[in-house]
């Protein structure tokens, strides 16, 4: 079985310390957690009338394929209390996104958000963001 090396972006602005810790523990229980990036506070994008976010990333190895992992992450978001709303940029207890897959950036938002690039560079310094 091939192991996939994946960077997962993690963000929260509702009880972020607890929710990020819960998400990290759940990921570590299911996958091989290799490294955790620094977490930084960022201002909300889009909907400004909400608390700042705490953002960072996790580097894991997993046997799951991309679709299975994405589905697993969405289920974890729901378990941790995330409710999908009309406001895509609204407050949330947890946000988990696949940013890089086997050394390749797979989320176009990475290039719009410097903190995402910084998290990936911290976890995968050998990856050059084109």
């Amino acid at each position: 079985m091939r192991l996939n090396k994946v960077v997962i972006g993690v963000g929260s602005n509702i009880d972020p310390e607890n929710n990020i810790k819960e998400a990290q523990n759940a990921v570590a229980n299911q996958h091989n957690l290799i490294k955790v990036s620094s977490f930084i506070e960022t201002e909300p994008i889009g909907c400004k009338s909400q608390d700042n976010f705490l953002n960072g990333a996790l580097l894991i190895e997993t046997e799951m394929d991309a679709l299975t992992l994405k589905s697993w992450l969405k289920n974890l978001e729901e378990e941790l209390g995330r409710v999908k709303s009309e406001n895509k940029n609204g407050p949330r207890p947890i946000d988990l996104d696949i940013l890089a897959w086997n050394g390749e950036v797979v989320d176009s938002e990475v290039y719009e958000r410097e903190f995402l690039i910084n998290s990936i560079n911290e976890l995968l310094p050998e990856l050059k963001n084109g």
Side-chain angles (χ1 to χ4, degrees):
M1 190 73 183
R2 177 163 191 248
L3 285 178
N4 296 300
K5 209 171 202 179
V6 185
V7 176
I8 300 170
V10 181
S12 172
N13 73 339
I14 298 174
D15 194 11
E17 286 81 7
N18 277 337
N19 284 315
I20 288 170
K21 194 171 89 185
E22 289 284 321
Q24 187 175 318
N25 288 340
V27 167
N29 286 337
Q30 187 70 36
H31 310 276
N32 179 18
L33 179 61
I34 300 169
K35 194 173 175 188
V36 179
S37 77
S38 308
F39 276 77
I40 62 162
E41 193 173 304
T42 61
E43 289 187 4
I45 295 169
C47 177
K48 299 292 186 193
S49 58
Q50 60 180 318
D51 292 335
N52 283 350
F53 280 81
L54 199 55
N55 288 99
L58 310 174
L59 176 62
I60 67 163
E61 283 180 336
T62 183
E63 291 182 355
M64 289 182 182
D65 61 49
L67 284 176
T68 305
L69 180 60
K70 185 173 181 162
S71 173
W72 187 86
L73 292 171
K74 294 306 158 205
N75 287 336
L76 179 57
E77 287 179 345
E78 287 173 18
E79 280 176 38
L80 294 174
R82 178 150 185 200
V83 178
K84 290 286 183 192
S85 68
E86 295 294 311
N87 184 359
K88 179 173 128 37
N89 294 315
R92 60 199 77 148
I94 198 72
D95 188 24
L96 302 167
D97 296 301
I98 298 171
L99 302 179
W101 188 269
N102 290 329
E104 202 174 306
V105 172
V106 293
D107 186 333
S108 61
E109 287 188 348
V110 165
Y111 299 110
E112 298 162 23
R113 306 201 172 129
E114 191 178 349
F115 65 86
L116 294 177
I117 291 173
N118 292 342
S119 292
I120 291 172
N121 286 339
E122 186 179 341
L123 295 174
L124 294 173
E126 68 277 10
L127 183 72
K128 294 290 175 242
N129 296 299

